[in-house]
Amino acid sequence: MAMDAVRLEQRHGKARVRVGRVWREANGRHRFVEWSVSISLLSDCLPAYTHGDNSDIVATDTMKNTVYVKAKECKQPLSVEDFAIVLGKHFTSFYQQVTAAIINVIEKPWERIHINGQPHEHGFKLGSEKHTTEVIVRKSGALQVVSGVEGLAVLKTTQSGFEGFVRDNFTILPETRERMLATEVTASWRYPFETLSSVPAKEFYFQERYMDVKKVLIETFFGPAKGGVYSPSVQSTLYHMAKAVLARFPDVSSVKLKMPNLHFLPVNLSSKDNPVIVKFEDDVYLPTDEPHGSIEATLTRIQSKM
């Protein structure tokens, strides 16, 4: 909206609404999730900004309460993507002035524990990486779904090197074909679904795809259990991980990866009087993540126009 030579673009919402949900099955088995939900609404409420008229504002406290109500109404376990779609459909259909809803959900990795090899009915432990999603629902029914994983920490103690890079007066990093490679992967992938009606009806579709994509990322990073696969750079490994996901899953249209290079620096102890106190032999390292290399890229499937 242009006015007095300025343009106002606005949205409002509620961030980090935390909710835990338990589903109790007839066989005594419980399912549990913990979500952090953030909501952002695009709506026709400009008078609230320009004239102090709040008559079209959806209170952020109402948004928070809606999360709990909708979680209650979900009688069966569901993925973060499906829950985000539920919320987005509600806000865009229930409120006339809301034109689009952007829903972000982060799921904490509570995992069922096993006692003496048996899955516990109601016991869980906290894992590491988190399942994420961003869903955009528009009043027209248009849809965008992005899933992801955060905090996927992976490390291999060999089969990594870094050679042939630019050298100048400030370069002191030695070239090597033998180093440790560690990173904390943040990945996101976009689905091709463009309308609410195009989302697969298969139960747990998004949850299964999340597990599948994560499996491919991990397997590509490490390579075969015996021997592994050589990584000439984080960039090369990142590219092959993203490419493997696109090759495996036709229902993924793009993959974005962020892979900071978490360094394990070789420890060589020496002094003026004793040049070699401890000599590094690919065995003792100093772990450090500050500063760290920052590598990220997006690989997008190009659709043929033929």
Side-chain angles (χ1 to χ4, degrees):
M1 175 182 177
M3 54 181 184
D4 299 330
V6 298
R7 182 178 298 276
L8 174 62
E9 296 179 0
Q10 56 80 33
R11 63 178 63 179
H12 76 290
K14 198 74 164 182
R16 299 179 66 180
V17 181
R18 297 181 62 182
V19 56
R21 180 63 160 98
V22 177
W23 291 276
R24 292 172 169 80
E25 301 176 352
N27 60 5
R29 184 184 177 95
H30 292 185
R31 293 179 181 267
F32 174 72
V33 295
E34 181 185 346
W35 295 326
S36 177
V37 181
S38 295
I39 301 159
S40 187
L41 301 184
L42 280 64
S43 62
D44 296 328
C45 60
L46 296 184
Y49 294 86
T50 59
H51 296 88
D53 179 358
N54 297 331
S55 57
D56 285 327
I57 287 285
V58 180
T60 64
D61 188 67
T62 302
M63 298 181 202
K64 176 201 70 177
N65 296 340
T66 302
V67 171
Y68 299 125
V69 172
K70 292 301 174 181
K72 174 73 172 178
E73 291 178 354
C74 294
K75 300 303 182 184
Q76 300 295 328
L78 73 170
S79 68
V80 288
E81 292 88 353
D82 286 319
F83 186 62
I85 291 173
V86 167
L87 290 173
K89 288 170 64 176
H90 169 81
F91 288 116
T92 54
S93 62
F94 190 80
Y95 300 103
Q96 181 179 359
Q97 68 272 33
V98 173
T99 57
I102 304 170
I103 313 296
N104 286 270
V105 187
I106 300 173
E107 180 174 323
K108 268 194 171 183
W110 289 104
E111 303 168 351
R112 190 176 302 278
I113 66 169
H114 289 68
I115 303 296
N116 296 325
Q118 297 297 315
H120 200 282
E121 288 184 341
H122 54 265
F124 301 85
K125 68 178 179 66
L126 191 60
S128 53
E129 66 271 8
K130 299 176 181 178
H131 184 175
T132 67
T133 191
E134 179 177 89
V135 170
I136 302 175
V137 179
R138 302 192 183 278
K139 189 176 288 294
S140 63
L143 177 71
Q144 179 179 314
V145 180
V146 176
S147 295
V149 59
E150 290 182 356
L152 178 59
V154 289
L155 176 153
K156 59 183 186 179
T157 55
T158 188
Q159 282 287 57
S160 173
F162 191 48
E163 301 175 282
F165 50 88
V166 174
R167 306 198 70 87
D168 56 36
N169 292 337
F170 303 134
T171 304
I172 60 174
L173 182 70
E175 298 189 2
T176 181
R177 289 189 60 84
E178 177 58 50
R179 68 171 183 172
M180 190 178 294
L181 177 59
T183 186
E184 188 173 284
V185 180
T186 298
S188 61
W189 51 96
R190 181 172 177 174
Y191 295 95
F193 317 125
E194 295 183 349
T195 62
L196 290 167
S197 60
S198 65
V199 175
K202 179 183 178 183
E203 188 177 17
F204 296 118
Y205 164 81
F206 288 111
Q207 187 67 32
E208 290 178 4
R209 182 60 73 243
Y210 167 75
M211 298 301 294
D212 290 342
V213 170
K214 189 169 66 167
K215 182 173 183 287
V216 168
L217 291 172
I218 292 172
E219 289 177 349
T220 308
F221 177 86
F222 288 107
K226 186 173 179 61
V229 62
Y230 181 72
S231 169
S233 66
V234 177
Q235 286 86 344
S236 174
T237 296
L238 180 155
Y239 174 76
H240 285 94
M241 290 166 68
K243 188 177 179 181
V245 171
L246 292 183
R248 177 72 180 275
F249 307 111
D251 55 355
V252 172
S253 57
S254 67
V255 183
K256 180 178 182 179
L257 290 173
K258 296 181 180 180
M259 293 173 54
N261 195 348
L262 307 182
H263 299 294
F264 283 76
L265 306 179
V267 173
N268 283 298
L269 297 184
S270 63
S271 68
K272 182 178 179 181
D273 298 328
N274 188 349
V276 181
I277 299 174
V278 172
K279 179 176 173 57
F280 175 67
E281 296 177 332
D282 300 318
D283 50 3
V284 179
Y285 300 82
L286 170 64
T288 178
D289 58 5
E290 293 182 356
H292 62 247
S294 178
I295 299 95
E296 62 181 87
T298 301
L299 200 62
T300 301
R301 193 187 306 279
I302 300 177
Q303 300 292 345
S304 173
K305 296 183 179 180
M306 294 181 62

Coordinates of all heavy atoms in Angstrom, one line a residue, residues 149 152-156 181-189 212-223 229-231 233-249 252 254-260 295 297-299 301:
V149 N 15.8 -30.8 8.5 CA 16.5 -31.4 9.6 C 17.5 -30.4 10.1 O 18.2 -29.8 9.3 CB 17.1 -32.8 9.4 CG1 18.1 -32.7 8.3 CG2 17.7 -33.4 10.6
L152 N 22.1 -32.2 12.6 CA 22.5 -33.5 12.3 C 24.0 -33.6 12.3 O 24.7 -33.2 11.3 CB 21.9 -33.9 10.9 CG 22.3 -35.3 10.4 CD1 21.9 -36.4 11.3 CD2 21.7 -35.5 9.0
A153 N 24.6 -33.9 13.4 CA 26.0 -33.9 13.6 C 26.6 -35.2 13.1 O 26.2 -36.3 13.6 CB 26.4 -33.7 15.1
V154 N 27.6 -35.1 12.2 CA 28.2 -36.3 11.6 C 29.8 -36.1 11.6 O 30.2 -34.9 11.4 CB 27.7 -36.6 10.2 CG1 26.3 -37.1 10.3 CG2 27.7 -35.4 9.3
L155 N 30.5 -37.1 11.7 CA 32.0 -37.1 11.7 C 32.6 -38.4 11.2 O 32.1 -39.4 11.5 CB 32.4 -36.8 13.2 CG 33.9 -36.8 13.5 CD1 34.2 -35.9 14.7 CD2 34.5 -38.2 13.8
K156 N 33.6 -38.2 10.4 CA 34.4 -39.4 10.0 C 35.9 -39.1 10.3 O 36.3 -38.0 10.0 CB 34.1 -39.8 8.6 CG 34.3 -38.8 7.5 CD 33.9 -39.4 6.2 CE 34.3 -38.6 5.0 NZ 33.9 -39.2 3.7
L181 N 36.8 -35.2 9.1 CA 35.8 -34.4 8.6 C 34.6 -34.4 9.5 O 34.0 -35.5 9.8 CB 35.4 -34.8 7.2 CG 34.2 -34.1 6.5 CD1 34.5 -32.6 6.4 CD2 33.9 -34.7 5.2
A182 N 34.2 -33.2 10.0 CA 33.0 -33.2 10.9 C 32.2 -32.0 10.6 O 32.7 -30.9 10.2 CB 33.5 -33.1 12.4
T183 N 30.9 -32.1 10.7 CA 29.9 -31.0 10.4 C 28.6 -31.2 11.1 O 28.4 -32.3 11.6 CB 29.7 -30.9 8.9 OG1 28.9 -29.7 8.6 CG2 29.0 -32.1 8.3
E184 N 27.8 -30.2 11.2 CA 26.5 -30.3 11.7 C 25.5 -29.8 10.6 O 25.4 -28.6 10.3 CB 26.3 -29.4 13.0 CG 25.0 -29.6 13.7 CD 24.9 -28.9 15.0 OE1 25.5 -29.3 16.0 OE2 24.3 -27.8 15.1
V185 N 24.9 -30.8 10.0 CA 24.1 -30.5 8.8 C 22.8 -29.9 9.1 O 22.1 -30.3 10.0 CB 23.8 -31.9 8.0 CG1 23.0 -31.6 6.8 CG2 25.2 -32.6 7.7
T186 N 22.5 -28.8 8.4 CA 21.1 -28.3 8.4 C 20.6 -28.4 7.0 O 21.2 -27.9 6.0 CB 21.1 -26.8 8.8 OG1 21.5 -26.6 10.1 CG2 19.7 -26.2 8.7
A187 N 19.6 -29.2 6.8 CA 19.1 -29.5 5.4 C 17.6 -29.1 5.4 O 16.8 -29.2 6.4 CB 19.2 -31.0 5.1
S188 N 17.2 -28.6 4.2 CA 15.8 -28.4 4.0 C 15.5 -28.8 2.5 O 16.3 -28.7 1.6 CB 15.4 -26.9 4.2 OG 16.1 -26.1 3.4
W189 N 14.3 -29.3 2.3 CA 13.9 -29.7 1.0 C 12.5 -29.4 0.7 O 11.6 -29.4 1.6 CB 14.1 -31.2 0.8 CG 13.5 -32.1 1.8 CD1 12.2 -32.7 1.8 CD2 14.0 -32.5 3.1 NE1 12.0 -33.5 2.9 CE2 13.1 -33.4 3.7 CE3 15.3 -32.2 3.7 CZ2 13.4 -33.9 5.0 CZ3 15.5 -32.8 5.0 CH2 14.6 -33.6 5.6
D212 N 13.5 -41.0 5.3 CA 14.1 -41.5 4.1 C 15.2 -40.5 3.6 O 16.3 -40.9 3.3 CB 13.1 -41.7 3.0 CG 12.2 -42.9 3.2 OD1 12.5 -43.7 4.0 OD2 11.1 -42.9 2.6
V213 N 14.9 -39.2 3.6 CA 15.8 -38.2 3.2 C 17.0 -38.2 4.1 O 18.2 -38.1 3.7 CB 15.2 -36.8 3.1 CG1 16.3 -35.7 2.9 CG2 14.2 -36.8 1.9
K214 N 16.8 -38.2 5.4 CA 17.9 -38.2 6.4 C 18.8 -39.4 6.2 O 20.0 -39.3 6.3 CB 17.3 -38.2 7.8 CG 18.3 -38.0 8.9 CD 17.7 -37.7 10.3 CE 16.9 -38.9 10.8 NZ 16.6 -38.7 12.2
K215 N 18.2 -40.5 5.9 CA 19.0 -41.8 5.7 C 19.9 -41.6 4.5 O 21.1 -42.0 4.5 CB 18.0 -43.0 5.5 CG 18.7 -44.3 5.3 CD 17.7 -45.4 5.3 CE 18.3 -46.8 5.2 NZ 18.8 -47.1 3.8
V216 N 19.4 -41.0 3.4 CA 20.2 -40.8 2.2 C 21.3 -39.8 2.4 O 22.5 -40.0 2.0 CB 19.3 -40.4 1.0 CG1 20.2 -39.9 -0.2 CG2 18.4 -41.5 0.6
L217 N 21.0 -38.8 3.2 CA 22.1 -37.8 3.5 C 23.2 -38.4 4.3 O 24.4 -38.2 4.0 CB 21.5 -36.6 4.3 CG 20.5 -35.7 3.6 CD1 19.8 -34.7 4.6 CD2 21.2 -34.9 2.5
I218 N 22.8 -39.2 5.3 CA 23.8 -39.9 6.1 C 24.7 -40.9 5.3 O 25.9 -40.9 5.4 CB 23.2 -40.6 7.3 CG1 22.6 -39.5 8.3 CG2 24.1 -41.5 8.1 CD1 21.8 -40.1 9.4
E219 N 24.0 -41.7 4.5 CA 24.7 -42.8 3.8 C 25.6 -42.1 2.7 O 26.7 -42.7 2.5 CB 23.7 -43.7 3.1 CG 22.9 -44.6 4.0 CD 21.8 -45.4 3.3 OE1 21.6 -45.1 2.1 OE2 21.3 -46.3 4.0
T220 N 25.2 -41.0 2.1 CA 26.1 -40.4 1.1 C 27.3 -39.7 1.8 O 28.4 -39.7 1.2 CB 25.3 -39.4 0.3 OG1 24.1 -40.0 -0.2 CG2 26.1 -38.8 -0.8
F221 N 27.1 -39.2 3.0 CA 28.2 -38.5 3.7 C 29.3 -39.6 4.0 O 30.5 -39.3 3.8 CB 27.7 -37.9 5.0 CG 28.8 -37.3 5.8 CD1 29.2 -36.0 5.6 CD2 29.4 -38.0 6.8 CE1 30.2 -35.4 6.3 CE2 30.4 -37.4 7.6 CZ 30.8 -36.1 7.3
F222 N 28.9 -40.7 4.5 CA 29.8 -41.7 5.0 C 30.3 -42.7 4.0 O 31.5 -43.1 4.0 CB 29.2 -42.5 6.2 CG 29.1 -41.7 7.5 CD1 27.8 -41.3 7.9 CD2 30.2 -41.3 8.2 CE1 27.7 -40.5 9.0 CE2 30.1 -40.6 9.4 CZ 28.8 -40.2 9.8
G223 N 29.5 -43.0 3.0 CA 29.8 -44.1 2.1 C 29.7 -45.5 2.7 O 29.1 -45.6 3.8
V229 N 33.9 -43.5 1.8 CA 34.1 -42.8 0.5 C 34.9 -41.6 0.7 O 34.8 -40.9 1.7 CB 32.7 -42.4 -0.1 CG1 31.9 -41.5 0.8 CG2 32.8 -41.8 -1.5
Y230 N 35.8 -41.3 -0.2 CA 36.7 -40.1 0.0 C 36.0 -38.8 -0.3 O 35.2 -38.7 -1.3 CB 37.9 -40.3 -1.0 CG 38.9 -39.1 -0.8 CD1 39.7 -39.1 0.3 CD2 39.0 -38.2 -1.8 CE1 40.6 -38.0 0.5 CE2 40.0 -37.1 -1.7 CZ 40.8 -37.1 -0.5 OH 41.7 -36.0 -0.4
S231 N 36.3 -37.8 0.5 CA 35.7 -36.5 0.4 C 36.9 -35.5 0.1 O 37.7 -35.2 0.9 CB 35.0 -36.0 1.7 OG 34.7 -34.6 1.6
S233 N 36.5 -32.3 -0.4 CA 36.1 -31.1 0.2 C 34.7 -31.2 0.7 O 33.9 -32.1 0.4 CB 36.1 -29.9 -0.9 OG 35.1 -30.1 -1.8
V234 N 34.4 -30.3 1.6 CA 33.0 -30.2 2.1 C 32.0 -29.9 1.0 O 30.9 -30.4 0.9 CB 32.9 -29.2 3.3 CG1 31.4 -29.1 3.7 CG2 33.8 -29.6 4.5
Q235 N 32.5 -29.0 0.1 CA 31.7 -28.6 -1.0 C 31.3 -29.8 -1.9 O 30.1 -30.0 -2.3 CB 32.4 -27.6 -1.9 CG 32.5 -26.2 -1.3 CD 33.7 -26.0 -0.4 OE1 34.3 -27.0 0.1 NE2 34.0 -24.8 -0.1
S236 N 32.2 -30.7 -2.2 CA 32.0 -31.9 -3.0 C 31.0 -32.8 -2.3 O 30.1 -33.3 -2.9 CB 33.3 -32.6 -3.3 OG 33.0 -33.8 -4.0
T237 N 31.2 -33.0 -1.0 CA 30.4 -33.9 -0.2 C 29.0 -33.4 -0.2 O 28.0 -34.1 -0.3 CB 30.9 -34.2 1.2 OG1 32.2 -34.8 1.1 CG2 30.0 -35.0 2.0
L238 N 28.8 -32.1 0.1 CA 27.5 -31.4 0.1 C 26.8 -31.6 -1.2 O 25.6 -32.0 -1.2 CB 27.7 -29.9 0.4 CG 26.5 -29.1 0.6 CD1 26.8 -27.8 1.4 CD2 26.0 -28.6 -0.8
Y239 N 27.5 -31.4 -2.3 CA 26.8 -31.5 -3.6 C 26.3 -33.0 -3.8 O 25.2 -33.2 -4.3 CB 27.8 -31.2 -4.7 CG 27.3 -31.4 -6.1 CD1 26.3 -30.6 -6.7 CD2 27.7 -32.5 -6.8 CE1 25.9 -30.8 -8.0 CE2 27.2 -32.7 -8.1 CZ 26.3 -31.9 -8.7 OH 25.8 -32.1 -9.9
H240 N 27.1 -33.9 -3.5 CA 26.7 -35.3 -3.7 C 25.6 -35.7 -2.8 O 24.7 -36.6 -3.2 CB 27.9 -36.2 -3.6 CG 28.9 -36.2 -4.8 ND1 30.0 -35.4 -4.8 CD2 28.8 -36.8 -6.0 CE1 30.6 -35.5 -6.0 NE2 29.9 -36.4 -6.7
M241 N 25.6 -35.2 -1.6 CA 24.4 -35.5 -0.7 C 23.1 -34.9 -1.3 O 22.1 -35.6 -1.3 CB 24.7 -34.9 0.7 CG 25.8 -35.6 1.5 SD 26.4 -34.6 2.9 CE 25.0 -34.7 4.0
A242 N 23.2 -33.7 -1.7 CA 21.9 -33.1 -2.3 C 21.5 -33.8 -3.6 O 20.3 -34.1 -3.8 CB 22.2 -31.6 -2.6
K243 N 22.5 -34.1 -4.4 CA 22.2 -34.8 -5.7 C 21.6 -36.2 -5.4 O 20.7 -36.6 -6.1 CB 23.5 -34.9 -6.5 CG 23.3 -35.4 -7.9 CD 24.6 -35.5 -8.7 CE 24.3 -36.0 -10.1 NZ 25.6 -36.0 -10.9
A244 N 22.1 -36.9 -4.4 CA 21.5 -38.2 -4.1 C 20.1 -38.1 -3.6 O 19.3 -39.0 -4.0 CB 22.4 -38.8 -3.0
V245 N 19.7 -37.1 -2.9 CA 18.3 -36.9 -2.5 C 17.4 -36.7 -3.7 O 16.3 -37.3 -3.8 CB 18.2 -35.7 -1.5 CG1 16.7 -35.4 -1.2 CG2 18.9 -36.1 -0.2
L246 N 17.8 -35.8 -4.6 CA 17.0 -35.5 -5.8 C 16.9 -36.8 -6.7 O 15.8 -37.0 -7.3 CB 17.6 -34.4 -6.6 CG 17.5 -33.0 -6.0 CD1 18.1 -31.9 -7.0 CD2 16.1 -32.6 -5.6
A247 N 18.0 -37.5 -6.8 CA 17.9 -38.7 -7.6 C 17.0 -39.8 -7.0 O 16.4 -40.6 -7.7 CB 19.4 -39.3 -7.8
R248 N 17.0 -39.9 -5.7 CA 16.2 -40.9 -5.0 C 14.7 -40.6 -4.9 O 13.9 -41.5 -5.0 CB 16.8 -41.1 -3.6 CG 16.0 -42.1 -2.8 CD 16.2 -43.6 -3.2 NE 15.5 -44.5 -2.3 CZ 16.0 -44.9 -1.2 NH1 17.2 -44.6 -0.8 NH2 15.2 -45.8 -0.5
F249 N 14.4 -39.3 -4.8 CA 13.0 -38.9 -4.5 C 12.5 -37.9 -5.5 O 12.7 -36.7 -5.4 CB 12.9 -38.3 -3.1 CG 13.5 -39.2 -2.0 CD1 14.7 -38.8 -1.4 CD2 12.9 -40.4 -1.7 CE1 15.2 -39.6 -0.4 CE2 13.5 -41.2 -0.7 CZ 14.6 -40.8 0.0
V252 N 10.8 -34.6 -4.4 CA 11.5 -33.5 -3.8 C 12.0 -32.6 -5.0 O 12.7 -33.1 -5.9 CB 12.7 -34.0 -3.0 CG1 13.6 -32.8 -2.6 CG2 12.2 -34.7 -1.8
S254 N 13.7 -29.4 -4.6 CA 15.0 -28.8 -4.4 C 15.5 -29.1 -3.0 O 14.7 -29.5 -2.1 CB 14.9 -27.2 -4.5 OG 14.0 -26.7 -3.4
V255 N 16.8 -29.0 -2.8 CA 17.5 -29.4 -1.5 C 18.5 -28.3 -1.2 O 19.3 -27.9 -2.0 CB 18.2 -30.7 -1.6 CG1 18.8 -31.1 -0.2 CG2 17.3 -31.8 -2.1
K256 N 18.4 -27.8 0.0 CA 19.3 -26.8 0.5 C 20.1 -27.4 1.7 O 19.5 -27.9 2.6 CB 18.6 -25.5 1.0 CG 19.6 -24.4 1.5 CD 18.8 -23.1 1.9 CE 19.7 -22.0 2.3 NZ 19.0 -20.8 2.7
L257 N 21.4 -27.3 1.7 CA 22.3 -27.8 2.7 C 23.2 -26.7 3.2 O 23.8 -26.0 2.5 CB 23.1 -29.0 2.2 CG 22.4 -30.3 1.9 CD1 23.3 -31.3 1.2 CD2 21.8 -30.9 3.1
K258 N 23.3 -26.7 4.6 CA 24.3 -25.9 5.2 C 25.2 -26.8 6.0 O 24.7 -27.6 6.9 CB 23.7 -24.8 6.2 CG 22.8 -23.8 5.5 CD 22.2 -22.8 6.5 CE 21.4 -21.8 5.8 NZ 20.8 -20.8 6.8
M259 N 26.5 -26.7 5.8 CA 27.4 -27.7 6.4 C 28.7 -27.0 6.9 O 29.7 -26.9 6.2 CB 27.8 -28.8 5.5 CG 26.6 -29.7 5.1 SD 26.9 -31.0 3.8 CE 28.3 -31.8 4.5
P260 N 28.6 -26.4 8.1 CA 29.8 -25.7 8.7 C 30.9 -26.8 8.9 O 30.6 -27.9 9.3 CB 29.3 -25.2 10.0 CG 28.1 -26.0 10.4 CD 27.5 -26.3 9.0
I295 N 29.8 -23.5 4.7 CA 29.5 -23.9 3.3 C 28.1 -24.2 3.2 O 27.5 -24.9 4.0 CB 30.4 -25.2 3.0 CG1 31.9 -24.9 3.0 CG2 30.0 -25.7 1.6 CD1 32.5 -25.2 4.3
A297 N 24.7 -24.6 0.0 CA 24.3 -24.6 -1.4 C 22.9 -25.1 -1.6 O 22.4 -25.8 -0.7 CB 25.3 -25.4 -2.3
T298 N 22.3 -24.8 -2.7 CA 20.9 -25.3 -3.0 C 21.0 -26.0 -4.3 O 21.5 -25.4 -5.3 CB 19.9 -24.2 -3.0 OG1 19.8 -23.5 -1.7 CG2 18.5 -24.7 -3.3
L299 N 20.4 -27.2 -4.4 CA 20.3 -27.9 -5.7 C 18.9 -28.0 -6.0 O 18.1 -28.6 -5.2 CB 21.0 -29.3 -5.5 CG 21.4 -30.0 -6.8 CD1 22.5 -29.2 -7.5 CD2 22.0 -31.4 -6.5
R301 N 15.9 -29.1 -8.9 CA 15.6 -29.9 -10.1 C 15.0 -29.0 -11.2 O 14.1 -28.2 -11.0 CB 14.5 -30.9 -9.7 CG 14.3 -32.0 -10.8 CD 13.1 -32.9 -10.4 NE 13.2 -33.4 -9.0 CZ 13.9 -34.5 -8.7 NH1 14.6 -35.2 -9.6 NH2 13.9 -35.0 -7.5

